Structures are given as structure tokens and as C-alpha cells.
Amino acid sequence: MKKIIQLTSGRGPAECNFVVTNVFKKFSEACTKSDIKFDVIEREIDKDFNQLSSVVIELEGNDLNSFLKEWIGTILWIGKSPYRKFHQRKNWFIGCFELEIVKENLINSNEIVYQTMRSSGNGGQNVNKVNSAVRATHQRSGISVVSMDSRSQHQNKKIATTRLLLKLQGFETNKLKDLVQKKWNNQTSIARGNPVKIFRGDKFSE
């Protein structure tokens, strides 16, 4: 079974990006404990504090529906702002949404050309100096994406393929943001009173 989900700060302030970053860490740990494989397909990072404002994740594993019941919806963090010392607000909300799964049979795999390349840019230990990065190009449309998220060329090919399919289905970054924003607007006023998860304090304890 596969699922694609997104953690997003919606229209929230910088503190909500801080929450997305830390909840993503908790979510990754939960996936590992439940033997669920996950790949980061897209991520958006705010320029001010280098925190995640949005992350799209592909999940693969057994009984994902039961696992995601504890995550899909609004997530609340109760804690003091890490950026505004005297700010009185202590409740910060983010959203976790399921996105439409991409169907690979919508295009012919022969239309995708792969090219290996050397990883570059700011990646710290996640970027090496061998040709592990992969560019996937859809020949008919000319749309192309690159993945250098993993040290494994095979894993980067898989991520690049999913990323390309998302683009081909119209889930480009801006359209994806619009889609999530609509969902966020529809759910925020109701879901804030009934979060599916609550984290507290600097260690994000449940």
C-alpha cells in the first residue's frame, strides 16, 4: 500500500514552520517504528529561520490507513515561541493532509529518460561527490526534475520518478500549495477545537 501525505503550516507564522519541522521528525520516527518506508518528495523551507513550511512524503507499508488515523487532520503544539520571547500565544497549529496518489500507468515509462549527475548544493552529509543524483525527463512534455535527496542512486531514481509524475498530474509546487491552502481554509475553523495529536514543550512530548 502507498500513500502520499503533506505536513504544512498553512498560513501560519514562523512558529508553525518550527512545528512542521519538529513534527516531521516525530512522524519519521513513528514510520520507522511501524516499519513504514518513507521518501520526501517535495519540501519547502522558509528563508528566515531555515525551517520546513511544507513537506510532501510518500509512504509505503502495511495497514497505512490505521497508522494515518493518528496523523491526518490538525496537529497542535503547546509551547513558547522560539522566535518571540515575550509572545503570549502558546497554541500553534499545523495541518496533515492526504494527497491523491499518482498512477504511474497514466504515462508510458518509455517516455521518461534518466540521467545520473553529481550531487551539488547545500546538503551536508546527505550529499556526496559521486554521481548519485538523478534527473528524470519526460520527453514528450520536456518537464524535468532532479533528486539528490539520497546517497543511493536507486533511491534518487525512485524519488525523481514520483516527483515527475506529480508534476505531470498538475501538482506543481504552486498548484500544490493552492490545493493544500484550500483544504486548510476549509478545515482550520473546525479542526482547531479537535486536534488529532497534541505535542508539548521543547521536546515535543505527547
Side-chain angles (χ1 to χ4, degrees):
M1 179 182 288
K2 289 186 179 181
K3 296 277 188 180
I4 294 180
I5 66 113
Q6 182 178 42
L7 291 169
T8 175
S9 60
R11 290 189 296 179
E15 287 84 357
C16 291
N17 298 336
F18 172 79
V19 177
V20 170
T21 302
N22 284 278
V23 169
F24 171 61
K25 293 176 183 177
K26 293 292 185 180
F27 182 84
S28 302
E29 292 171 1
C31 286
T32 300
K33 289 180 181 178
S34 298
D35 198 26
I36 294 172
K37 297 179 182 178
F38 64 93
D39 292 312
V40 174
I41 304 304
E42 293 282 359
R43 71 182 81 203
E44 295 179 30
I45 299 175
D46 74 65
K47 297 179 181 179
D48 295 325
F49 300 101
N50 198 34
Q51 301 289 312
L52 287 170
S53 61
S54 168
V55 57
V56 178
I57 312 155
E58 183 183 62
L59 306 174
E60 184 174 356
N62 296 321
D63 204 16
L64 286 180
N65 289 329
S66 296
F67 175 78
L68 289 175
K69 279 182 180 178
E70 298 182 8
W71 293 93
I72 298 295
T74 295
I75 297 172
L76 165 64
W77 175 60
I78 302 174
K80 294 182 179 180
S81 168
Y83 309 124
R84 295 178 283 180
K85 185 176 180 180
F86 299 106
H87 198 281
Q88 297 300 311
R89 178 176 167 182
K90 293 184 179 180
N91 292 341
W92 311 94
F93 297 89
I94 67 168
C96 180
F97 303 105
E98 181 177 350
L99 302 179
E100 181 183 353
I101 194 73
V102 179
K103 298 180 180 178
E104 295 191 34
N105 59 4
L106 291 179
I107 67 169
N108 190 332
S109 59
N110 293 330
E111 296 179 346
I112 302 178
V113 175
Y114 298 95
Q115 176 187 3
T116 58
M117 51 195 289
R118 179 168 294 181
S119 298
S120 61
N122 296 325
Q125 295 181 354
N126 291 325
V127 173
N128 54 21
K129 296 182 179 180
V130 299
N131 293 345
S132 63
V134 174
R135 180 189 301 277
T137 303
H138 183 235
Q139 289 182 304
R140 184 154 46 89
S141 65
I143 293 176
S144 138
V145 299
V146 174
S147 173
M148 57 180 68
D149 299 67
S150 172
R151 296 183 181 185
S152 163
Q153 185 181 114
H154 174 76
Q155 195 71 2
N156 277 329
K157 182 178 179 180
K158 177 184 175 183
I159 294 172
T161 301
T162 302
R163 194 171 285 170
L164 180 61
L165 289 168
L166 282 169
K167 275 202 169 187
L168 290 172
Q169 277 203 337
F171 284 100
E172 299 175 30
T173 301
N174 289 335
K175 293 179 182 178
L176 184 61
K177 286 173 66 177
D178 290 343
L179 174 67
V180 172
Q181 189 63 64
K182 289 177 183 178
K183 290 184 178 180
W184 177 261
N185 290 340
N186 290 338
Q187 296 188 36
T188 298
S189 59
I190 299 174
R192 279 188 174 179
N194 187 29
V196 294
K197 270 191 179 293
I198 299 176
F199 293 96
R200 294 178 171 84
D202 295 341
K203 295 184 178 180
F204 277 71
S205 303
E206 288 192 67

